[in-house]
Amino acid sequence: MKYFLLLICLLPAGLVFGQSKLPVIKATSEKVAINDGGFLDKNAWSLSPKTRPDIYTADRTRETKWVTFYTDIDSIRIKVKPGTRYNFVILLNGKDSCYTQIASAIPPADEQQINPNKSDTIPFKLTAYNAIAVKAVMNDTDTLSLHFDLSSFDFHLTRDAILNKTKLLPNQADVLAGKAKPNFNDMSKALKLQIGTSVWHNLEMLPTNITSTGMDGRFGWNLFEGKQVEVDYDNNRIIIRNKMPKNLNGYERSKIGFIHSFPYVTGTFEIDGKKYTGNFSMDTGSEQSLILDSEWAVKNNFPRDLKLIKSSTISDPRGVKYEMKIVETPLFRLNGFPVSNVPAIMLSNKNPMGFEINYLGNGLLKRFNMILDFKNDYLYLKPNKLST
């Protein structure tokens, strides 16, 4: 999924846009292509004159990079540094001013989504489907079960939860009475959401068809940007910190990378004396252990004759079918720790994400207590009681 944050600002445009004279580019089409640090997406953006400003959040990186907007007749190239924002106007058909902002995914140091000087401990339950499930309370009245998903962003609720467990739709009563159809694009914002003692205000709640079995929705890693997030499976708790804990005995560290704002780590298979190393998105919303990208498998000559556990066809929420084989991999190493006989799904179709990446599901990640350092971008792992 593409990482866009469309924030409806309540302040007048002149108060939001502090630059004295805004650059202006022209367009005759609402469609805009974006080159973000070398990744070109021809269908990345649609102009929205009513949204002031319309914010494009650049893919996360701690490096300075260029972001270019291409309209059908014009372009603008912006140097994006961590913690910065840049404002400009796209004049559509010579009359509609589209106030636009390019923002770094890393916010300014003085802006924090959650309490900047406070740690928090959030209890969770590991479900039968390997989901990290926590209790959330919306607007002090609606209790929801959400799962923490490292391969997701922001807050998402299922359409069923929106209809039956919240009061987010403007015509909620009419919908429940059968007098109107739900329009999930016309949702009101959640004024308040609380998980543990952490509180978020004026949230955009995004509808979804994709969540772990039995969950009302999910929340992503970016809510803890600049924090240290410890997932402790031994004690069923998530600890949010502003500083790394002092006792790291037994932990091994590796670097976290980012591709299109998805965090990933490196893992290595060892098969018949050969090593196969790849990048793995950490998908704590998946009950699987490993999912292998078809292009990566071909490029790296990954063995096709591994022990077959199961073969089947699955469909995504759009109805697209994917053939897959589940094979047994003899040895996989993560942060240097060996895991034997790991089941891996080998996709035959092209990755629906549109770029090459493998996946680490929570079927494997749950074997390790982990600390995710989103301030310095490191992953710390230590085998836990589920590893035996």
Side-chain angles (χ1 to χ4, degrees):
M1 80 190 77
K2 187 62 183 170
Y3 181 28
F4 292 130
L5 296 177
L6 302 181
L7 305 178
I8 307 294
C9 185
L10 300 179
L11 296 175
L15 294 179
V16 174
F17 282 63
Q19 293 161 219
S20 58
K21 187 177 181 180
L22 298 180
V24 178
I25 63 172
K26 298 178 181 180
T28 62
S29 169
E30 293 181 354
K31 299 300 181 183
V32 177
I34 299 176
N35 187 316
D36 188 336
F39 293 96
L40 177 64
D41 187 343
K42 294 182 179 180
N43 300 300
W45 194 255
S46 293
L47 296 179
S48 177
K50 294 182 180 180
T51 305
R52 297 191 174 197
D54 206 354
I55 302 177
Y56 171 75
T57 302
D59 289 339
R60 187 193 187 278
T61 177
R62 295 195 180 277
E63 305 296 327
T64 298
K65 64 175 177 178
W66 291 97
V67 174
T68 305
F69 271 51
Y70 298 96
T71 72
D72 59 330
I73 58 173
D74 210 345
S75 67
I76 187 169
R77 187 170 182 248
I78 307 299
K79 183 181 285 187
V80 178
K81 299 179 181 180
T84 62
R85 295 170 181 155
Y86 192 88
N87 305 307
F88 60 99
V89 175
I90 302 178
L91 187 62
L92 179 61
N93 294 321
K95 59 180 182 178
D96 293 325
S97 294
C98 303
Y99 290 87
T100 307
Q101 183 180 98
I102 298 176
S104 165
I106 298 176
D110 60 347
E111 291 188 11
Q112 294 289 336
Q113 285 272 25
I114 58 179
N115 301 332
N117 300 312
K118 187 178 180 181
S119 296
D120 194 10
T121 299
I122 303 169
F124 73 80
K125 177 184 177 182
L126 186 65
T127 73
Y129 299 94
N130 293 326
I132 303 170
V134 306
K135 186 176 93 169
V137 179
M138 183 183 294
N139 297 334
D140 296 320
T141 57
D142 304 325
T143 300
L144 302 166
S145 183
L146 307 180
H147 69 89
F148 180 39
D149 191 348
L150 284 170
S151 65
S152 185
F153 311 101
D154 309 316
F155 290 99
H156 291 74
L157 293 182
T158 64
R159 286 162 168 77
D160 180 70
I162 292 167
L163 280 173
N164 299 303
K165 294 189 176 183
T166 75
K167 303 174 183 68
L168 287 175
L169 291 173
N171 61 341
Q172 194 94 14
D174 289 340
V175 170
L176 293 176
K179 298 178 181 179
K181 292 183 179 180
N183 182 358
F184 294 105
N185 294 321
D186 191 29
M187 287 168 52
S188 299
K189 289 185 178 181
L191 299 179
K192 177 182 178 183
L193 187 83
Q194 181 168 350
I195 300 176
T197 61
S198 297
V199 178
W200 291 263
H201 295 280
N202 298 318
L203 292 168
E204 185 124 20
M205 282 293 175
L206 304 173
T208 183
N209 288 324
I210 305 172
T211 192
S212 183
T213 303
M215 295 290 99
D216 296 320
R218 63 182 191 270
F219 59 102
W221 73 268
N222 64 308
L223 300 171
F224 307 108
E225 177 66 73
K227 301 285 183 177
Q228 282 81 30
V229 181
E230 179 178 351
V231 183
D232 178 359
Y233 293 94
D234 285 329
N235 297 290
N236 286 358
R237 61 185 183 179
I238 301 171
I239 305 174
I240 312 299
R241 296 188 175 93
N242 296 291
K243 294 181 180 180
M244 286 293 297
K246 294 181 179 180
N247 183 8
L248 294 174
N249 292 338
Y251 283 93
E252 293 293 336
R253 186 181 79 167
S254 67
K255 191 67 177 175
I256 297 177
F258 290 84
I259 179 169
H260 295 304
S261 296
F262 291 93
Y264 70 83
V265 292
T266 299
T268 301
F269 294 96
E270 296 182 10
I271 303 172
D272 295 332
K274 294 183 179 180
K275 295 183 179 181
Y276 304 87
T277 299
N279 295 328
F280 292 79
S281 174
M282 294 175 285
D283 189 357
T284 50
S286 171
E287 64 181 302
Q288 307 299 329
S289 293
L290 292 167
I291 303 175
L292 304 186
D293 184 284
S294 58
E295 292 185 9
W296 174 86
V298 170
K299 186 185 299 183
N300 289 273
N301 295 313
F302 192 78
R304 294 286 179 175
D305 57 352
L306 297 175
K307 179 182 177 181
L308 180 65
I309 299 174
K310 183 181 179 181
S311 180
S312 63
T313 301
I314 59 174
S315 298
D316 68 12
R318 297 165 296 180
V320 179
K321 294 183 178 181
Y322 298 92
E323 295 181 2
M324 66 178 190
K325 294 181 178 180
I326 303 178
V327 299
E328 184 177 278
T329 59
L331 184 64
F332 180 74
R333 289 188 184 273
L334 185 61
N335 281 29
F337 293 113
V339 186
S340 300
N341 303 323
V342 186
I345 294 177
M346 298 187 67
L347 297 177
S348 58
N349 304 58
K350 189 175 181 179
N351 192 322
M353 297 296 288
F355 54 89
E356 182 186 298
I357 194 73
N358 301 304
Y359 297 90
L360 280 169
N362 219 34
L364 189 149
L365 286 171
K366 71 179 183 181
R367 304 185 190 195
F368 301 93
N369 288 346
M370 55 184 171
I371 301 173
L372 300 138
D373 179 2
F374 291 125
K375 185 175 183 179
N376 303 292
D377 296 344
Y378 284 103
L379 171 68
Y380 296 78
L381 292 182
K382 180 174 71 171
N384 59 30
K385 63 184 180 182
L386 300 176
S387 63
T388 57

